[in-house]
């Protein structure tokens, strides 16, 4: 249906769902289609990227894909609204919730700065670190024991 209609609402259905497959190869094909095929409008590429991140494996894949294709994505969005790059970044990192992962992502963006996206990246990292601190606190509490839930 994607190629047989000009209706953007109808075109969003496959963008929201293709990456939801459990098959890693199909997830990767979705990422490649979104970014490199030329079939997906630049302002829509974050939809299929987000569809891949519904599982931890997909989230890992999307983040790795972002890193591996950083130059391509940076060039692709160089003259576009910064909000589009923000959407791609957030769809690639928003499913993480540990301090260690926040530190890894922070180090990546320190080495690959995107000044126009710095605020959104900072907000995402703050959220990850807050969630990570909560996870650490829960893990160190009685809530982490089977006896608490018995």
């Amino acid at each position: 249906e994607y190629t047989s209609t000009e209706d953007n609402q109808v075109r969003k259905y496959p963008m929201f769902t293709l990456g939801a497959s459990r098959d890693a190869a199909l997830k990767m094909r979705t990422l490649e289609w979104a970014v490199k095929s030329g079939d997906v409008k630049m302002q829509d590429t974050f939809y299929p990227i987000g569809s891949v991140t519904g599982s931890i494996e997909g989230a890992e894949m999307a983040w790795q894909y972002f890193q591996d294709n950083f130059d391509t994505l940076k060039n692709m969005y160089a003259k576009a609204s910064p909000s589009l790059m923000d959407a791609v970044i957030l769809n690639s990192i928003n499913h993480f919730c540990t301090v260690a992962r926040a530190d890894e992502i922070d180090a990546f963006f320190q080495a690959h700065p995107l000044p126009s996206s710095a605020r959104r990246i900072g907000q995402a990292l703050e959220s990850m670190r807050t969630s990570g601190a909560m996870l650490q606190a829960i893990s160190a509490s009685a809530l982490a024991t089977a006896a608490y839930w018995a």
Side-chain angles (χ1 to χ4, degrees):
E1 261 191 76
Y2 186 83
T3 57
S4 66
T5 183
E6 291 300 315
D7 184 335
N8 283 333
Q9 196 58 39
V10 173
R11 293 182 108 183
K12 283 184 182 177
Y13 297 136
M15 289 191 280
F16 286 136
T17 58
L18 283 172
S21 170
R22 291 182 184 170
D23 185 315
L26 290 176
K27 286 181 178 295
M28 183 55 72
R29 282 180 56 198
T30 300
L31 293 169
E32 291 287 321
W33 172 69
V35 175
K36 296 181 179 175
S37 72
D39 293 338
V40 180
K41 292 178 184 177
M42 183 174 54
Q43 68 265 22
D44 292 336
T45 56
F46 64 91
Y47 294 125
I49 292 169
S51 77
V52 167
T53 64
S55 66
I56 189 61
E57 296 83 10
E60 295 284 349
M61 182 182 288
W63 170 232
Q64 189 61 55
Y65 187 86
F66 180 89
Q67 293 172 87
D68 293 346
N69 292 278
F70 177 77
D71 290 332
T72 298
L73 290 163
K74 184 177 178 182
N75 290 334
M76 186 173 165
Y77 291 103
K79 294 181 181 174
S81 168
S83 65
L84 294 176
M85 182 59 125
D86 292 350
V88 170
I89 293 166
L90 295 177
N91 275 281
S92 300
I93 67 173
N94 262 353
H95 287 77
F96 299 119
C97 60
T98 65
V99 173
R101 185 49 65 100
D103 292 345
E104 173 197 323
I105 293 167
D106 193 14
F108 177 83
F109 285 111
Q110 292 297 321
H112 304 85
L114 292 171
S116 61
S117 297
R119 182 170 183 234
R120 295 294 298 182
I121 294 166
Q123 290 169 335
L125 293 173
E126 180 181 355
S127 178
M128 270 182 242
R129 288 186 172 116
T130 300
S131 295
M134 176 63 84
L135 240 118
Q136 289 172 339
I138 290 170
S139 295
S141 76
L143 290 171
T145 65
Y148 181 85
W149 299 101

